[in-house]
Amino acid sequence: MREITIGQYIPGNSAIHRLDPRTKILITFAFMILLFVIDDFTGYVFPVAFIIAASILSGISVRYMVRGLRPLLVIILLTFILNLFLIKGRVIYEIGPLSITYEGLYQGTFMVLRLVLLIVGTSLLTLTTSPITLTDGIESLLKPFSKIGVPAHELAMMMTIALRFIPTLMEETDKIMKAQMARGADFSSGNIIKRAKSVVPILVPLFISAFRRADELAMAMESRCYRGGENRTRMKKLQMTWEDLAAFIATGVLAAGCLASRFLW
Amino acid sequence: MERKALSTLIEGALMIAIATILSFIKPYQAPFGGSVTLGSMVPILLYSMRNGAAKGILAGVAYGLLQLVIEPYIVHPVQVILDYPLAFGLLGLSGLFGKRIVAGVTVGILGRFLSHFLSGVIFFESNAPEGMNVLFYSAAYNGSYLLPELVISLLAVRFVFYRFICRDRDRSFSN
């Protein structure tokens, strides 16, 4: 259970790392939607160029991005195969009852390219932005909606505290495990039911200590005059710079390209 | 912010932390991102049943967003919303049933299932060729990992954590 790094963030100080998290979230979302605007291969020129430029700027090796594709390999392959065999059209090749058509090959490749771009594009966001920065970005982006009742601050506060306490609680789990082992608990043998049962003496103390910790932390925060999100100031204020402006302009060009490829060509 | 409300908020945060830790332990990983975990929904379900559906939904949404930030699995713009904040937010529905845990847990997980199910349908509609039985595949796929999770969660909530739902009784444990 030890040494789990939370999130996929790779620290760095590239132009992409330095961008405001709000900029990155908004651009990633725009990028995802723009990918669905494109309706033929020529349109992919723009997102491909965009991704290559962003990757080079981020200084993150291609290895990490390819690694991000691995868990999605099944869905990528499935998409390809389904399209390859199920679309009717001009037959290129036949394997028994199945036939590969020209249209299927075209459609399959098209869909796979879109998926790969989508995955690489979004993983660029999580590779260059730490979870805590992303949370700050989410809070800031949700803030305008707090007028219609979206509890943006509470949401972000919960995420922030959770992120802060994941390592602490993992350590605590470890301690409890060792304490129970000292009392003769056995976690590693027996069938699945026995093992599941052996988890109970770990989870119960973990929950109890979490409830107690919540009370203590509430008291500590209250003594430091925490009074919710209103009028709260920050030590590190999110600030947009000319780099963010440049990123938005680049996204504007991407959007124009994608829209042009669909509606003009 | 009132002390009680603050302490509830932090309790939610710590439940999210435990849920996240439990979500790292995956006895079975389904091919498209779903997985059977060591009852990673239990903390959120428990929190909703202790504090009511509104707070439970908020914690669920926060948990979903945290999952998105930590381990994103993004294949479609609409899928992102359905699979993360909405799916986990709906777990909070379990708070509607008070101490009726079987109903609470089932409805909460059913809510999550429906959200993933819809997301699967939307994904396949836009990526797979026409004429596939999308509804069936999405239901079968999402059911394949949520059904075992439902059983695990029911057993855990009923036999292990039942006493925590009666709020304030756990205070007597704490010293």
Side-chain angles (χ1 to χ4, degrees), chain B residues 16 19-20 23 40 44 58-68 88 91:
Chain B
I16 294 168
T20 311
S23 77
S40 66
I44 306 296
L58 184 65
V61 171
Y63 176 50
L65 287 174
L66 201 67
Q67 289 278 310
L68 179 63
F88 290 97
L91 284 179

Side-chain angles (χ1 to χ4, degrees), chain B residues 93-165:
Chain B
L93 291 178
S94 59
L96 290 173
F97 298 88
K99 282 175 203 162
R100 298 216 303 282
I101 48 171
V102 176
V105 170
T106 311
V107 168
I109 295 180
L110 190 70
R112 183 177 164 195
F113 169 80
L114 286 176
S115 193
H116 286 316
F117 168 71
L118 197 62
S119 145
V121 170
I122 291 174
F123 173 78
F124 277 110
E125 282 296 338
S126 74
N127 280 280
E130 314 256 314
M132 263 185 63
N133 196 345
V134 178
L135 298 177
F136 171 75
Y137 285 112
S138 183
Y141 168 70
N142 288 302
S144 76
Y145 65 91
L146 280 175
L147 215 57
E149 280 271 306
L150 173 68
V151 174
I152 295 173
S153 304
L154 273 175
L155 291 175
V157 174
R158 176 64 191 85
F159 293 108
V160 183
F161 296 110
Y162 185 62
R163 54 186 158 180
F164 293 140
I165 295 169

Side-chain angles (χ1 to χ4, degrees), chain B residues 39-58:
Chain B
S40 66
M41 288 184 277
V42 169
I44 306 296
L45 295 167
L46 210 59
Y47 178 76
S48 313
M49 288 186 254
R50 277 162 64 87
N51 301 297
K55 293 209 167 72
I57 288 170
L58 184 65

Side-chain angles (χ1 to χ4, degrees), chain A residues 6-8 32 36 72 83 86 111 114 118 131 151 155 158 162 204 207 210-212 215 218-219 221-222 226, chain B residues 3 6-7 10 13-15 21 32 58 69-70 72-77 80 126-127 129 160-161 163 171 174:
Chain A
I6 298 157
Q8 298 147 324
M32 288 168 70
F36 282 83
L72 291 115
N83 280 290
L86 289 182
M111 295 292 184
R114 184 166 78 189
L118 198 63
L155 215 56
M158 278 204 207
V204 172
F207 274 83
F211 293 141
R212 183 172 43 191
D215 274 349
M219 203 193 299
M221 285 169 77
E222 209 184 28
Y226 173 77
Chain B
R3 167 76 173 282
L6 180 58
S7 137
I10 297 169
L14 295 182
M15 288 300 114
I21 294 171
F32 311 138
L58 184 65
V69 164
I70 291 175
Y73 187 97
I74 300 172
V75 290
H76 192 282
V80 178
S126 74
N127 280 280
V160 183
F161 296 110
R163 54 186 158 180
R171 300 282 179 264
S174 55

Side-chain angles (χ1 to χ4, degrees), chain A residues 178-197:
Chain A
K178 283 189 180 131
Q180 301 290 32
M181 272 149 83
R183 293 181 179 98
D186 178 12
F187 300 119
S188 50
S189 65
N191 58 19
I192 191 157
I193 295 171
K194 213 171 156 210
R195 277 199 205 188
K197 270 188 179 166

